[in-house]
Amino acid sequence: MDIQLKRGILDVCVLAAIKDEDSYGYKIIKDMKPYTEMSESTLYTILKRLETANMLTVRTAEHNGRLRKYYHITKAGLERIEEFKSEWREVMSIYQFITKEGTENA
């Protein structure tokens, strides 16, 4: 898969993983596992990029005596998910055109 396309999809996957509730790294990876594999290093690169783009915020809280970073989606992050849905409809339309089987040119 094209690296830029995959990067954009993974960014939106991470946003979707925290859309309904704040979450932390290990849980994000666990929640995404049925859909896609992601390493911790890839996840934390994505989280930093999304934070820089103001699509999520980070807070630190203590959990079992250790500090844990929790990620919260922002309005910009929610808007990015909606943009992706619209873009994906266009991608699917192009896919259908490319893969169509017909006799138009026969």
Side-chain angles (χ1 to χ4, degrees), residues 1-105:
M1 176 182 289
D2 177 75
I3 191 70
Q4 292 297 346
L5 178 60
K6 187 171 185 177
R7 177 181 168 186
I9 291 171
L10 290 177
D11 286 3
V12 176
C13 286
V14 170
L15 291 170
I18 63 172
K19 182 179 70 158
D20 295 327
E21 65 179 341
D22 294 358
S23 194
Y24 54 94
Y26 177 75
K27 186 170 184 319
I28 293 169
I29 289 173
K30 185 176 150 191
D31 290 346
M32 291 176 57
K33 192 169 181 122
Y35 308 101
T36 186
E37 294 283 329
M38 181 181 298
S39 69
E40 285 186 40
S41 61
T42 298
L43 174 64
Y44 288 108
T45 299
I46 291 169
L47 289 168
K48 188 64 179 167
R49 182 170 53 245
L50 294 172
E51 180 184 10
T52 300
N54 296 314
M55 292 190 197
L56 59 81
T57 58
V58 183
R59 69 178 168 83
T60 304
E62 189 174 327
H63 177 77
N64 293 335
R66 297 178 60 188
L67 292 179
R68 178 184 280 173
K69 286 185 176 181
Y70 287 88
Y71 300 90
H72 176 80
I73 194 166
T74 64
K75 182 179 178 191
L78 292 169
E79 289 170 354
R80 178 62 194 117
I81 291 172
E82 293 306 312
E83 288 171 11
F84 176 83
K85 289 177 185 177
S86 177
E87 293 165 357
W88 197 253
R89 283 189 284 276
E90 183 179 353
V91 168
M92 290 307 299
S93 178
I94 293 167
Y95 172 81
Q96 289 173 347
F97 172 74
I98 292 170
T99 60
K100 72 179 177 181
E101 294 182 23
T103 57
E104 293 93 23
N105 297 325

